[in-house]
Amino acid sequence: MNARTLDPAHHLIEKEPYYEAVGDEILLFEAAWRQQIPVLLKGPTGCGKTRFMEHMAWRLKRPLITVSCHDDLTASDLVGRYLVKGGETVWVDGPLTRAVRAGGICYLDEVVEARKDTMVVIHPLADDRRTLPMEKLGLEVEAPPEFCLAISYNPGYQSVLKDLKQSTRQRFVALEFDYPSAELERRIVATESGVSEAVASNLVRFAQMTRNLKGSGLEEGASTRLLVHAGKLIADGVSPVSACKAAVAQAVTDDDDMLKAIQELSSSIF
Amino acid sequence: MNARTLDPAHHLIEKEPYYEAVGDEILLFEAAWRQQIPVLLKGPTGCGKTRFMEHMAWRLKRPLITVSCHDDLTASDLVGRYLVKGGETVWVDGPLTRAVRAGGICYLDEVVEARKDTMVVIHPLADDRRTLPMEKLGLEVEAPPEFCLAISYNPGYQSVLKDLKQSTRQRFVALEFDYPSAELERRIVATESGVSEAVASNLVRFAQMTRNLKGSGLEEGASTRLLVHAGKLIADGVSPVSACKAAVAQAVTDDDDMLKAIQELSSSIF
Amino acid sequence: MNARTLDPAHHLIEKEPYYEAVGDEILLFEAAWRQQIPVLLKGPTGCGKTRFMEHMAWRLKRPLITVSCHDDLTASDLVGRYLVKGGETVWVDGPLTRAVRAGGICYLDEVVEARKDTMVVIHPLADDRRTLPMEKLGLEVEAPPEFCLAISYNPGYQSVLKDLKQSTRQRFVALEFDYPSAELERRIVATESGVSEAVASNLVRFAQMTRNLKGSGLEEGASTRLLVHAGKLIADGVSPVSACKAAVAQAVTDDDDMLKAIQELSSSIF
Amino acid sequence: MNARTLDPAHHLIEKEPYYEAVGDEILLFEAAWRQQIPVLLKGPTGCGKTRFMEHMAWRLKRPLITVSCHDDLTASDLVGRYLVKGGETVWVDGPLTRAVRAGGICYLDEVVEARKDTMVVIHPLADDRRTLPMEKLGLEVEAPPEFCLAISYNPGYQSVLKDLKQSTRQRFVALEFDYPSAELERRIVATESGVSEAVASNLVRFAQMTRNLKGSGLEEGASTRLLVHAGKLIADGVSPVSACKAAVAQAVTDDDDMLKAIQELSSSIF
Amino acid sequence: MNARTLDPAHHLIEKEPYYEAVGDEILLFEAAWRQQIPVLLKGPTGCGKTRFMEHMAWRLKRPLITVSCHDDLTASDLVGRYLVKGGETVWVDGPLTRAVRAGGICYLDEVVEARKDTMVVIHPLADDRRTLPMEKLGLEVEAPPEFCLAISYNPGYQSVLKDLKQSTRQRFVALEFDYPSAELERRIVATESGVSEAVASNLVRFAQMTRNLKGSGLEEGASTRLLVHAGKLIADGVSPVSACKAAVAQAVTDDDDMLKAIQELSSSIF
Amino acid sequence: MNARTLDPAHHLIEKEPYYEAVGDEILLFEAAWRQQIPVLLKGPTGCGKTRFMEHMAWRLKRPLITVSCHDDLTASDLVGRYLVKGGETVWVDGPLTRAVRAGGICYLDEVVEARKDTMVVIHPLADDRRTLPMEKLGLEVEAPPEFCLAISYNPGYQSVLKDLKQSTRQRFVALEFDYPSAELERRIVATESGVSEAVASNLVRFAQMTRNLKGSGLEEGASTRLLVHAGKLIADGVSPVSACKAAVAQAVTDDDDMLKAIQELSSSIF
C-alpha cells in the first residue's frame, strides 16, 4: 500500500499533464490568476476540466488540491476541525486551508453540491478581502498572491435548489468547456488508450453521433473519457462493438430503445 | 456462535462459486480490471449480480468485500472512524479502506441508496487518481493495481432523487445483467435447490410466465433466487403449488388479483 | 416490580401458546426454517401474527425476540452499541445480535416502519451469507442454522414511501394471514376472554358485519383482539352494547356516522 | 419556591378531584383497569379529560403521571436516560418508567404529537406482554397489575401525518368525551370560578351558542375551561361582556367577523 | 462594556415605562394575574405589546424576563441545561425557570415561532397545575402565585404550520392590541422622538394613510415604532421626506410601485 | 502566510476606502448611528453595499466585522461557544459579540440566509434594549452607544421561505442601493482596474445594455464589480471581447441564446 500525508508539497505536479488547448482558456486563466480573481469552470462531465486544472497547476508550479463536493460537505470539511488523536485534541487543517497556507490552487469540483455554509468560507476568499476566516482557531488567514480558488459546475444539471447564486458567481471569471474538436479528440484518445489512429478516429465519429442524440432522450453524449475507456478495453482485446457497449452505451443510458440505437451506431462504424 | 474478524484475508473465496456465464461478462470484467477501470453492474433483483462478483473474486484471487448501501450510509461508514474502545480512541478502517489496503474487490451493492457524501470517496478512486482520501487521518491512500471498485444498481427502481449522476456513472464500465436462459436457469435451480430436472424445468416455465406479467401490474417477475426458494421448499416436502405461492407469488406482490393470476399459472403447471 | 435481563434464555416460551392453524402456515414455516430461508408475515392488525410467532418459537424450542419497528429505529438499535456505564465503555448487544448469538428467532414487527439502514444488517442475514456484520466491533457473526429471521408487514397500510423494496422482499418466503374462520374465532374469543360460547358467537357475528364495512369508510374491521377486549369487559360486568362501543366501535373509527352504524349493528345483535 | 422530586409517591392525589360523570365512563375505566387493557380518551380540548384522569387516579388510589406529548418527545424522554451529574454518569428514569415501577397510571396527553419511536415502548406495554423494554439498561420491566396506560387524542385535529395508526389504537379500549350537560356545566362553572348560579347559567347559555357556530368558521366552541376563566375574571370585578371577550372570544378565534358575532352573543345575554 | 448577570433581580423595572392605555387592558391583565390565568397578547408588529409588558411588570413590581421565540428555540433553551464550565458540569437555569423561581413575569414573544417541545413546558404552567417539569434535574417546580406567563402572537402572520393550537390557546386569557388613537399616537411620537407636536401630528397622518394601503399590496402599515424612528431622524437633521422614506417606506415594503405610492403620501404632507 | 487574530482592533480601517456617494446615504447612516437605530441595506449583488460599509466604518472610526450569512449559520456562530483547546474548555466570542464588546460595526451580509435562531440575538440588539443575551455565559451584554448593527439583503432574490419578517425589518432604518450613474461608474472602473477612461466608458455602456436585458431572461445585469473584473483582464492583456465574455457574460448566465446576445453587445462596442 502506498499512503502519503496530505502535505501540499506532495501535490506539486512534476510531469506535464497532457492537455491541448481549445481556445484562449490558458491565457485567460493565467491573467485571472495574476489579477487574483477566482475562476469558475463550466461544462459537461468528462470534457477535461480536471485535466485542465492539473495542467494549469503544473504550468504555474502550484500544488493542486482537489475537493469533490457533495451534499454533506460542510465548511468544517474544507477549513479543518479539532480531532481527538491518542487522547489529545489537535487541530487538523482542511484541504482549503492547506491550499491557502501553501499558496496553492484549491479546486472545488461541482461546488453547488456542497452544503450552503461552504459559501461563507468561499466568499471572503473570492473578493477583495482574500481572507479565510477560521472562527474555531480565532484566526483570519490572508491568502498569498499565489493562491488561486477555482470551482466548477455543470450548467446542464443544476436544479432550482442547486444553482449557483448570483452573489457567488459574480465573484468569478468564468471559462466554458466543451468537447474538443474531432482532430484533437482523436489525438487524445489514441495517446491515452493506446489504440491506433484509425480506431481512435472511429471512436470519435461514434461519440459525435451519440452527442447528436442529446435532447432526443439522451442526457449527455459520450465524453472523451468514455472514448478512452472504450479504447483501453479494445487495446486489451475486447471487440470494438462490445467495448462501445460496455464503456459508452451502458454508461450513458439505461433506456432500452436508446441502448439499441447507440449499439446500431457502433455496429455501423466497426 | 461463529464470529470472524473483518480482516480481508478472511474474505478470500476458496471454493469456486457456481456461476454460468450468459455472455462475455467475464471477459469484460477481466479487461476492465487489468485496465484499472471500475465496473458498474446493472440489472434486476436476484438475477445473479452478487454471485457473479463472488465468482470473479474467486477467479481473480482477490478478497471480496461487499457493502449493501442504504439511506443512512455515510462516507465514514465506508472509510472508517475513530472509536472509543476501553477508554482509548482507536482508528477502525471501514470496508472500503480495508479493500483498498488489501488490493481486494470492493462491491457496493445498490450504491444509489447511499448518502451523497459516499460519492466524494468513490470519485477519486474511480478515475485516474485511484486514491482514497482519508481526511480524518490526514492521509491519502493510493490503491494498488489489484484493487477493483464495483458498484451495482437496478435501473428499474431509480427515482429522480435516487439516480446515478452522469458525473459518477461515466467513470465506470457498465455490464448489464438479466435473467439467464431457460436451459441455464433450469440447471441453476436443480443444482441449488435439490429438486429434479423436471421440477426445475416447470419452475422455470412458471417464472417466465410471471415475467410476462411485468408491466401489467407486477413490479418484477420471479427471479432465479425465488425459484431456488420454491425448489428448496418442494425438496423439503411442501407441495409445488403451496411452495410457489409462499416463495414466489406472495414474495413479488400484495395485490389480490395478481396473486390469484399467479396462483392459476402455477396450478396450470403443477 | 418484576425486571429481568434481556438474556435470550429468558425468552424461551415454556407453555404452549394457544394457536389454531388456519392453513398450512405451520408446515411452511417449519420447512423454511429447516431450509434457512427467512420468513415474511403479511396481514392486517390483530389477526394473530404475533401469536403465531410465539407458537412457532415454542414449537421449535427457540427463544423469541420481538422488536416493534418504528420511524426512528436504526441499525444500531438492532445490532448494539457502546454505552458508558459507571465511567466505563461497554458494548451492549442489540436484540438482533442477541437472537443471532443464541440461535433464536428474531421477529421484526412492521419492519417497513424502521429507518432504511436496518436493511443493511438484514440483507446479509437474509441471503446465502447468513452473516451479521458488526462494523463497530470489527466482527462478522455467522448465524447458526437454528437462527431464524422473521419480519411482518401490513400490505393495506403501506404508502409509496414505506413499501418493502423488491430487493428486500424477494429474500423471504411469505405467509399471508387473515381473520380466522367464524368457528375458530368463536373458540378463541371464548377461551381468551372468559365469556360464554353464545356471547362469543354474537361477538364474532358482530365483527363480521364490521368487516363488511371495510371500504365503505372503515379503514379496518374489528380484529380478533378487539373481540377479546369486548369479551373481557362483558365478563367484568359491562353491558355488551357498551363493551362493543368502547372496545370495538370507538377503537376502529372516529367518524360519527360510522360510529352510529356500528352501534346499530351491535344493538341489533345484543 | 416550592420544588419536589419526581418520586411517584408525590403524585398520589389525596383530595377528591371534583368530577361529575356524564355516562358510564367511570365504570368502563374501572373494568378496563381490572382487565389490564389500556385506555384511550377521545374528545375536544378542555372538556374534562385531564380532570377525569385525576379523578380516576384518586378513585383507584394510584399515582398519576401526566406527560404532554409534542413533536420532539422521544422514547428516551419517556423511558429515561443516562445523565452526567457532578462528573458521574447516572441513570434517570423517565416518567413512563417511574409510572410502571410504581404501579401508577401514566397518562400520555395528545399522544399523536409525539415522535414515532414512542410507539415502540408503548406497544409491548399495551398488549398481553405488558412489558417495558429498557434497551439501554439491558432490562425488560414487567408492569404490575395495578399499572395503567392511558392516552388521549382529539379526533377533530388529526391530519394524515398525525393520525393514530390502527396497529396502535386497536390495543386500547376507547372512551369518548364531550361537553357536559347544561345543568352539570352550570354546577362546574359556579363551583370552580365562584360566580353565582345565575351568572354561571348565563355563561353556559353563551357557550352553547358558540358551540353552534362550530363548522361555520369556528374551529372549536367555548370549552368548560374557558367558562371557568370568564367566571374567575367576573368574580374579580371584570364586567361580564369584557370577561367573555378576553376569556372566550379572543381565546377561540382571530377572525374579526367571528369575534364580532361572538361579542354580540355575549352582549345579548349580559 | 456593560455586562450584567441574568439574575432576575436585575430585571426589575425601576422607572415607570411610558404607556398610555387604550382600553381596559391594564384592568384585565391585573385580574388575570390575580386569578393566576396566563395571558396571550395578540396584535401587529410594533404596536406596543412589549412596552405594555414592561409597564405591567413595573406596575406589579415583578421582574420581567422576555424571550424572543424562533424556529430553533427548544424546551432546554427555556428550562435550562447542564453546561461544562472549567471542566465541571454545572446546571444553568433557562429564562423560564429563572422567572418561575423568582415569581416574575415570563414573556414569550411570538411563541408560535418556537419548536413544538416548548409547549410541553408551557402547558403544565398554563393550567391548574402551575408546575414546571424539569426532567433533567428530576424536579418539578411549583410556580408561586406571583408568577405570570404571558405570550404574544401576531394573528396576521400565522400559517397553517405555525398556528397556535386550540389546546394551547384555550389555556390563556387573550388581550388584543392595535394601533393607538391619533391623539395618543401623536403624544407617543413627540415624547419618544423629540420632534414638535406639529411634526408628530403629520407623521401620524402619514401612518394612517399607509395603514389604509394594507390589503392593497402592503403587508402591514407603518407601526408606531417606525414613526418614532422617522421622528428621531428628523430631530437629527434629516429632511422629513427622506426620513419617511428610510424609516417607513423602505422598512415596510420592497415593491417599487408601493414605494412610490408611499413616497407620494409623505410628499403630500411634508 | 499572513494570519492575524480576530481581535476587533485589527478590523479598524486605516486608509479611506474609495466610495462615491449616490444620494444622501452617508448622511442617513450617520443620523441612524447617532440615534442608535440599526440599518438595513437593500440592493442587488455587487453594487457597492460592502464598500459602503467599509467607507462608513472608516468615516466613523469604528472596527468593521462582516459576516456572510448562510443556511447553516446559527446563533452560536454569531455569539460564541465553548471550545476544547489543549484539553481545556475556553469560551470563544463570536463575531457579533466581538463587535458589541468593541463598540464596532457588525455587518451581517444577506441576513435572510441565516438560520432563524439568529433573529433571537438580533432582536434585543435592534430595539430599545440594545442588549446581547449570552445564555451560555449567563450574561447579558449592553451595547455601547458606538455599536452599530447593519444587515443587508437583496429583495430581488427572496422567496417566501427566505423573506425578512415584518417583526424584524420594522426594527431597522432601510437604505436602498442601486447601480451608480454612468459618470460615477466610469470613474470607479477606471480607478479600480487600471484601464483608460475610454475603455471604462465602453465597459459601462456595455453594462447598461446588459441591465436592460433583465426581465428578458437575465436574472441580473452586469454589476460594477464584474466591470472591474473585465477591466483587470483587459489591463493584463486579454482582448476586450474575450474579457467581457469571461468576466461578464459567462458570469451572469448559462443560457446559450443569452450568451450570444451578450457577446453581440460587446462585439458591437469593442
Side-chain angles (χ1 to χ4, degrees), chain D residues 17 30-31 52 95 102 105 108 127 137 141 161 167 194 197 201 204-205 207 221 224 229-230 234 236 239 244 258 260:
Chain D
E30 288 182 331
F52 173 70
I105 300 177
L108 304 176
D127 60 23
L137 285 183
V141 180
L161 280 171
S167 61
E197 291 278 316
S201 185
V204 170
R205 268 210 301 148
T224 310
H229 281 181
I234 294 168
D236 197 286
S239 78
C244 284
M258 191 51 72
K260 269 185 212 138

Side-chain angles (χ1 to χ4, degrees), chain D residues 1-2, chain E residues 6-12 33 57 60-65 93-106 125 130 132 134 141-148:
Chain D
M1 190 197 68
N2 195 343
Chain E
L6 295 171
D7 182 336
H10 297 139
H11 289 79
L12 264 174
W33 177 70
L60 299 173
K61 295 186 179 41
R62 300 281 93 214
L64 173 67
I65 293 178
D93 278 348
L96 180 58
T97 305
R98 290 196 306 271
V100 170
R101 288 196 204 269
I105 300 177
C106 188
L125 266 178
R130 284 178 68 86
L132 175 68
M134 300 177 74
V141 180
E142 209 167 290
E146 300 80 21
F147 170 75
C148 175

Side-chain angles (χ1 to χ4, degrees), chain B residues 22-97:
Chain B
V22 179
D24 55 358
E25 70 268 29
I26 292 177
L27 184 78
L28 274 163
F29 193 101
E30 288 182 331
W33 178 69
R34 276 192 303 268
Q35 295 295 328
Q36 304 187 23
I37 310 176
V39 181
L40 164 63
L41 276 59
K42 302 201 285 191
T45 302
C47 71
K49 296 191 296 285
T50 298
R51 184 64 61 92
F52 172 70
M53 287 308 304
E54 291 170 350
H55 184 81
M56 292 312 300
W58 167 81
R59 183 177 277 266
L60 300 172
K61 295 186 179 43
R62 299 283 93 214
L64 174 67
I65 292 179
T66 299
V67 180
S68 298
C69 297
H70 58 90
D71 268 30
D72 297 319
L73 191 89
T74 63
S76 292
D77 293 327
L78 290 175
V79 175
R81 54 166 55 90
Y82 282 104
L83 288 180
V84 180
K85 284 190 176 177
E88 253 185 290
T89 307
V90 295
W91 173 264
V92 177
D93 277 350
L96 180 59
T97 305

